[in-house]
């Protein structure tokens, strides 16, 4: 690139130049976690923490769930809370939002003589409250009704005394029907439920674990040239030698 010409803008001269380094070590591990339904002004940093008690993930489906404790004492003077709503935690589940631009997280090194940047290549995880504890009540009612219907059918068939078994012909599924089935909510939900949750360790501000992660955020090899790859090339960063290979 061309050197900076300080004569281009005499009213706003360059007073300092700072070296900028890209740190690739954490590039695949960092995610932006957003809470679009929680205004920042509603959080009191003195009494509330954004560090959850529990966190778990389904990595293949890229689903994150986190739980925050609820102060149930605020309900003590109110009317009786239904059992479905009487929970001790508020659960948030992620929805992935694809990146449409280049973003990075950065910090100044000690002495303010270098800026270290970590490119963010993963999808943004937007956290929204989930009401699975309420859905579970309706699921239980639906299962009970289905069991009762099946039991009634068996009883009716037994009382009729008919030994005839109906012959069912299954039509081959078309490509369009298969595509519709795979894109349906029920199919997506079943695929998500097949994957087991993996519990995550949660570490808040000031912990030794967080300090160790921050240590890896520094660019260790400052003499290596790094270049961005397009999404067609797989995304992320490569060294100049790897790109030319």
């Amino acid at each position: 690139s061309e050197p900076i010409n300080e004569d281009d803008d005499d009213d706003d001269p360059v007073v300092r130049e700072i070296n900028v380094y890209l740190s690739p070590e954490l590039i695949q591990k960092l995610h932006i976690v957003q809470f679009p339904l929680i205004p920042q002004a509603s959080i009191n940093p003195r009494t509330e923490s954004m560090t959850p008690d529990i966190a778990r993930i389904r990595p293949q489906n890229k689903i994150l769930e986190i739980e925050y404790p609820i102060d149930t004492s605020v309900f003590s003077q109110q009317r009786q809370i239904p059992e479905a709503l009487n929970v001790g935690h508020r659960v948030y589940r992620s929805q992935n939002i694809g990146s449409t631009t280049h973003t990075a997280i950065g910090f100044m090194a000690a002495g303010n003589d270098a800026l270290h940047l970590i490119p963010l290549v993963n999808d943004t995880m937007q956290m929204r409250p989930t009401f699975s504890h309420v859905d579970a009540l309706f699921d239980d009612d639906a299962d009970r009704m289905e069991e009762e219907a099946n039991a009634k059918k068996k009883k009716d068939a037994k009382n009729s005394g008919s030994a005839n078994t109906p012959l069912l012909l299954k039509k081959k599924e078309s490509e369009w029907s298969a595509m519709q089935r795979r894109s349906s909510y029920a199919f997506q939900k079943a695929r998500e439920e097949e994957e087991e949750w993996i519990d995550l360790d949660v570490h808040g501000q000031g912990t030794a674990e967080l300090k160790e992660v921050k240590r890896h955020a520094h660019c260790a090899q400052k003499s290596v040239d790094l270049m961005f790859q397009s999404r067609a090339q797989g995304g992320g960063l490569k060294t100049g030698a790897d790109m030319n290979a």
Side-chain angles (χ1 to χ4, degrees):
S1 60
E2 297 181 358
I4 298 175
N5 187 353
E6 297 185 8
D7 296 331
D8 290 345
D9 193 347
D10 295 335
D11 295 334
D12 190 16
V14 176
V15 297
R16 185 181 180 189
E17 293 185 3
I18 300 174
N19 293 325
V20 179
Y21 301 100
L22 293 179
S23 303
E25 187 170 352
L26 300 178
I27 189 172
Q28 298 295 338
K29 300 178 181 179
L30 289 183
H31 293 265
I32 297 178
V33 178
Q34 296 178 339
F35 294 82
L37 302 183
I38 303 180
Q40 182 66 31
S42 67
I43 301 175
N44 186 346
R46 295 184 178 180
T47 59
E48 297 180 88
S49 172
M50 290 305 295
T51 302
D53 280 359
I54 300 172
R56 50 186 171 267
I57 192 171
R58 284 173 170 162
Q60 294 182 4
N61 288 282
K62 298 180 180 180
I63 300 176
L64 174 68
E65 269 195 0
I66 54 180
E67 296 186 15
Y68 290 93
I70 296 178
D71 184 8
T72 56
S73 62
V74 298
F75 301 131
S76 59
Q77 303 300 325
Q78 300 181 12
R79 62 184 181 180
Q80 186 176 1
I81 303 299
E83 182 179 356
L85 303 179
N86 189 18
V87 294
H89 285 80
R90 180 178 289 112
V91 182
Y92 291 86
R93 177 175 288 199
S94 66
Q95 293 181 352
N96 293 338
I97 307 298
S99 177
T100 58
T101 184
H102 295 299
T103 57
I105 183 173
F107 64 93
M108 297 293 292
N112 294 329
D113 60 348
L115 174 63
H116 295 259
L117 297 178
I118 306 173
L120 300 172
V121 300
N122 295 309
D123 292 343
T124 297
M125 291 183 167
Q126 289 193 346
M127 310 303 297
R128 289 177 169 81
T130 175
F131 299 94
S132 55
H133 57 290
V134 178
D135 294 338
L137 295 179
F138 291 98
D139 290 341
D140 291 342
D141 291 340
D143 292 341
R144 178 176 53 80
M145 294 176 62
E146 184 178 358
E147 290 177 359
E148 292 177 353
N150 291 334
K152 185 176 183 302
K153 288 181 180 180
K154 291 180 180 179
K155 183 178 180 180
D156 293 343
K158 183 177 180 180
N159 293 336
S160 65
S162 174
N164 296 329
T165 303
L167 180 62
L168 300 178
L169 299 178
K170 186 176 181 180
K171 185 178 180 181
K172 183 179 179 181
E173 186 178 35
S174 66
E175 183 178 349
W176 183 85
S177 298
M179 183 179 64
Q180 291 293 105
R181 177 178 56 82
R182 289 192 294 267
S183 62
S184 67
Y185 172 79
F187 181 84
Q188 297 293 336
K189 185 69 174 177
R191 189 178 67 174
E192 292 176 3
E193 294 298 333
E194 288 177 355
E195 183 180 6
E196 296 291 336
W197 288 106
I198 297 178
D199 294 331
L200 302 176
D201 295 329
V202 180
H203 305 289
Q205 293 290 337
T207 60
E209 290 80 3
L210 183 58
K211 292 179 180 179
E212 177 65 16
V213 171
K214 289 183 176 180
R215 186 178 68 83
H216 291 285
H218 289 80
C219 180
Q221 299 181 357
K222 299 180 181 179
S223 61
V224 177
D225 294 331
L226 297 177
M227 288 177 284
F228 281 102
Q229 290 188 118
S230 66
R231 289 187 178 273
Q233 295 173 315
L237 295 175
K238 289 289 186 179
T239 65
D242 292 335
M243 293 289 288
N244 295 328

